[in-house]
Amino acid sequence: MCGIWAIIGEQVTPQQQDAFMKIVGRGPDLTVLDEVQPNVHLGFHRLAIVMPGDTPSAQPIVGGGLSVVCNGEIYNHQSLKIDCPYTLKNGGSDCAAIITSFIKHNEDLKETCASLDGVFAFIMADSKNVYIGRDPIGVRPLFYGYNLNGSLLIGSEVKCIEELCERVEYFPPGCCATISLAAPSRPIQPQQYYSVPSIADRFLSIECTQTLVRDILVKSVEKRLMGNRNFGFMLSGGLDSSLIASIATRFLKQKPVAFSVGFEDSPDLEAARKVADYLKIPHEVLVITPQQCVDIIPEVVFALETFDPLIIRCGIAHYLLCQHISKSSDVKVLLSGEGADELFGSYAYMQRAPNALHLHKEILRRMQHLHQYDVLRCDRSTSCHGLEIRVPFLDKRFIDLVSRLPPTYKLMPMKLEKHLLRSAFEGWLPDEVLWRSKEGFAEALGKTDLGDILASHCDKLISKELYEQRAERFPDRTPETTEEYWYRQIFEETFVYDKMGHLVHTKVYRTAAWHRPDEKENIINSPDSENILDVKSDDLLRLRRRSTGSLGVA
């Protein structure tokens, strides 16, 4: 995990340098801010994962008239570096493969990005252009905006460019763009080089599918063990994180450490302990209290740059655990299970889809917004504590396989959610974990639902009079509960809503394809608006927010 930053069009001011330093937590081991072309400055905060402290992994990487800074890992870097005609400064970095691939593909940026197997957000420059690219799902973040002078600013997080820009935009996942240095203030025109396959055309037998799912996921985990810092797992005790831990443990020579978090009475802590015992790996448990969860929320909102209750609730435990790992261990790289629920459609409301076609449409929609939800939470909760998270389920090959499977394989009557995934890994985990039904990270903190704790706190914190005036204070996306009111209040005390509020996607679980259009949110000017299925239902669910994105009937 690193932090990248750039300003194109002017010299760096002290205020801009201060903004760049707001993301130093992403890379506490080295900070560089270089002018690589006239009025083109590239900034880099490094977290040392590969060859710690060694100069070949520093950035910018320079060669062939190109300079690049990248936040990411390129897993096929060795093959992309073969026969490079140039000697690169800092060429030992895996991210040097961006330059070598760009040269090999005759400066075709789309082909270059498509050739990269990994997660990345990069800014590259030569004497004529600036080039930017982001990985297929948006595992690594990237934002941009323009200042009053027309100069372009780019950064890993909103907080490092917001005060400098008139308006902040996210650079879309699976896209790249070329910006001419002759006209850097022209609007960026992203070009899409990747999209999640939308047609389920892999008609394979269950047995063949199980083999492919197992083999590709194992390879996905193995390639993510690149680096020589200590590895750890975010172990919730659920299926996804436990599977990743089981696979990785088979490859790592040094025993990884499993980390879990919960209230004292958490059922998940016991499940996580069983997994750690089964894998014979050290297991550290962070026991937290409801009051700690409440007290940390302002920090979580600042780190996550959102006011969506779903992300914040899940982010609380994640943030506290990463804070603990950073302070108490030498682990720097964490493996996690994010992405499996979206790919396999295993959230409770998704498993109640009217049919498999509707589920398939919802999976595609959730994948489209993943960079605004679980991926965002993972990145921000870890990076601010100087940690790096890797998510094997979001490997490009694995996504391409699972998204093309028959939707009926993900919606099996009388079968547990993710039955296909579970059955593919028989014997890799204890049966009581492998066949345990899904629990949300936040709900499983203890026998008392975190949502109930927060709702009770906010009902006392936000007076009835204040809440009744919510539409006057927050006319756009008016909060529907006192909890939402509090998060929105904290958010607007921290960020300028008019500049970046539009980046926050909210209540993704309330906009499923089978809901009526008049019940939806985030529809206007949203990609969802082009993909609404005309599904009629006589019985609308009254929905209750839950941190997993599940829907409960009130």
Side-chain angles (χ1 to χ4, degrees):
M1 191 76 72
C2 300
I4 61 174
W5 188 90
I7 181 166
I8 295 101
E10 63 184 72
Q11 291 298 302
V12 179
T13 67
Q15 181 193 17
Q16 291 163 352
Q17 287 181 331
D18 290 344
F20 169 50
M21 293 305 295
K22 287 185 178 181
I23 56 168
V24 69
R26 299 184 68 90
D29 297 321
L30 175 71
T31 292
V32 178
L33 183 57
D34 281 353
E35 185 173 18
V36 296
Q37 296 288 341
N39 287 332
V40 177
H41 295 80
L42 300 183
F44 178 66
H45 296 295
R46 181 190 178 212
L47 176 65
I49 301 298
V50 181
M51 294 189 291
D54 207 70
T55 52
S57 287
Q59 297 188 28
I61 302 157
V62 181
L66 295 155
S67 302
V68 67
V69 289
C70 177
N71 169 27
E73 303 86 48
I74 310 300
Y75 303 118
N76 62 336
H77 67 102
Q78 291 180 336
S79 63
L80 291 174
K81 290 178 181 179
I82 294 173
D83 298 328
C84 177
Y86 300 101
T87 299
L88 304 183
K89 176 187 174 184
N90 299 324
S93 168
D94 55 286
C95 294
I98 297 167
I99 289 180
T100 60
S101 180
F102 189 66
I103 294 169
K104 280 185 178 182
H105 288 95
N106 298 313
E107 301 187 357
D108 186 320
L109 187 59
K110 289 177 69 173
E111 288 294 323
T112 298
C113 290
S115 75
L116 303 176
D117 180 13
V119 293
F120 55 86
F122 69 80
I123 312 165
M124 183 167 63
D126 60 20
S127 60
K128 296 180 180 179
N129 301 304
V130 169
Y131 311 91
I132 54 181
R134 192 175 179 194
D135 65 72
I137 302 298
V139 174
R140 295 291 179 258
L142 198 63
F143 299 90
Y144 70 94
Y146 298 89
N147 66 13
L148 284 171
N149 300 328
S151 296
L152 173 64
L153 291 116
I154 308 170
S156 292
E157 297 183 20
V158 170
K159 60 180 66 70
C160 70
I161 64 170
E162 183 218 21
E163 68 179 46
L164 308 174
C165 297
E166 293 294 289
R167 180 179 170 90
V168 179
E169 304 289 350
Y170 67 74
F171 190 78
C175 289
C176 57
T178 301
I179 302 107
S180 171
L181 291 179
S185 59
R186 286 182 183 172
I188 288 177
Q189 301 292 329
Q191 289 185 297
Q192 190 170 33
Y193 70 87
Y194 176 89
S195 61
V196 175
S198 60
I199 300 174
D201 58 358
R202 295 294 298 270
F203 299 106
L204 306 170
S205 68
I206 288 288
E207 292 77 14
C208 181
T209 301
Q210 289 168 332
T211 300
L212 281 172
V213 164
R214 182 172 55 253
D215 290 351
I216 293 177
L217 185 59
V218 167
K219 289 174 183 174
S220 172
V221 173
E222 184 182 13
K223 73 174 73 166
R224 280 165 175 77
L225 301 179
M226 181 175 72
N228 50 10
R229 301 296 289 269
N230 289 341
F231 282 78
F233 307 121
M234 304 276 285
L235 192 61
S236 69
L239 173 69
D240 307 331
S241 62
S242 299
L243 263 185
I244 298 304
S246 177
I247 298 168
T249 300
R250 298 189 178 204
F251 291 103
L252 289 169
K253 294 178 181 178
Q254 183 176 346
K255 280 195 173 184
V257 182
F259 297 94
S260 303
V261 61
F263 296 151
E264 207 164 26
D265 60 355
S266 169
D268 257 11
L269 293 183
E270 177 59 23
R273 183 192 62 77
K274 289 179 181 177
V275 173
D277 288 349
Y278 184 84
L279 300 177
K280 297 181 174 59
I281 58 175
H283 184 214
E284 293 189 16
V285 174
L286 174 65
V287 176
I288 58 176
T289 66
Q291 190 59 49
Q292 282 178 288
C293 292
V294 170
D295 292 343
I296 205 68
I297 284 176
E299 286 185 41
V300 172
V301 171
F302 177 73
L304 272 56
E305 303 175 335
T306 187
F307 52 84
D308 178 72
L310 169 67
I311 311 173
I312 293 170
R313 286 186 186 182
C314 292
I316 292 167
H318 203 150
Y319 184 92
L320 287 169
L321 183 56
C322 289
Q323 186 181 66
H324 169 76
I325 294 169
S326 178
K327 290 180 178 179
S328 65
S329 78
D330 57 2
V331 167
K332 289 295 179 184
V333 184
L334 297 167
L335 297 174
S336 190
E338 270 70 25
D341 289 316
E342 286 78 9
L343 273 172
F344 287 93
S346 58
Y347 289 123
Y349 86 95
M350 296 173 85
Q351 287 292 299
R352 292 202 291 271
N355 54 53
L357 174 61
H358 285 74
L359 176 61
H360 181 66
K361 295 280 287 187
E362 181 64 2
I363 287 170
L364 294 175
R365 193 183 70 88
R366 287 297 296 255
M367 291 298 293
Q368 185 180 40
H369 289 298
L370 198 53
H371 72 107
Q372 295 169 296
Y373 285 89
D374 286 21
V375 162
L376 180 154
R377 169 179 52 80
C378 277
D379 177 86
R380 306 301 197 285
S381 296
T382 51
S383 62
C384 63
H385 299 299
L387 303 174
E388 176 170 300
I389 197 156
R390 298 180 182 176
V391 282
F393 281 109
L394 295 179
D395 182 82
K396 189 161 61 172
R397 280 194 67 205
F398 193 74
I399 291 171
D400 288 351
L401 168 68
V402 178
S403 63
R404 293 171 61 190
L405 294 175
T408 50
Y409 285 8
K410 303 167 191 176
L411 192 66
M412 296 182 171
M414 308 305 293
K415 298 285 189 182
L416 204 56
E417 78 278 352
K418 283 188 287 213
H419 177 84
L420 183 67
L421 180 63
R422 298 173 194 272
S423 60
F425 282 91
E426 288 271 15
W428 290 64
L429 290 169
D431 280 351
E432 59 266 37
V433 175
L434 185 67
W435 296 102
R436 179 177 180 234
S437 186
K438 176 176 174 56
E439 291 277 356
F441 198 52
E443 283 94 346
L445 288 178
K447 293 178 181 177
T448 303
D449 192 298
L450 178 59
D452 294 336
I453 293 169
L454 295 172
S456 175
H457 172 79
C458 293
D459 284 344
K460 296 172 186 174
L461 182 69
I462 307 300
S463 69
K464 183 180 179 181
E465 293 75 22
L466 204 60
Y467 183 67
E468 287 176 348
Q469 296 171 10
R470 63 193 183 280
E472 297 174 23
R473 181 169 183 182
F474 307 115
D476 182 44
R477 288 189 283 182
T478 303
E480 297 179 353
T481 66
T482 55
E483 182 186 359
E484 290 180 21
Y485 187 105
W486 188 38
Y487 298 160
R488 182 69 171 274
Q489 178 178 278
I490 296 169
F491 180 87
E492 295 205 14
E493 289 170 354
T494 309
F495 301 102
V496 179
Y497 184 83
D498 289 344
K499 285 188 178 185
M500 56 83 66
H502 61 283
L503 300 177
V504 180
H505 194 283
T506 60
K507 303 175 186 174
V508 68
Y509 48 89
R510 286 268 292 270
T511 54
W514 52 90
H515 296 156
R516 286 181 176 172
D518 60 4
E519 192 185 21
K520 293 173 177 285
E521 300 176 33
N522 300 307
I523 288 299
I524 299 174
N525 298 323
S526 162
D528 293 340
S529 60
E530 300 173 4
N531 297 308
I532 299 172
L533 292 183
D534 183 18
V535 180
K536 296 181 179 179
S537 171
D538 294 328
D539 299 310
L540 287 178
L541 292 176
R542 288 180 291 134
L543 310 175
R544 178 171 64 88
R545 297 182 319 282
R546 298 185 66 195
S547 65
T548 54
S550 306
L551 300 184
V553 180

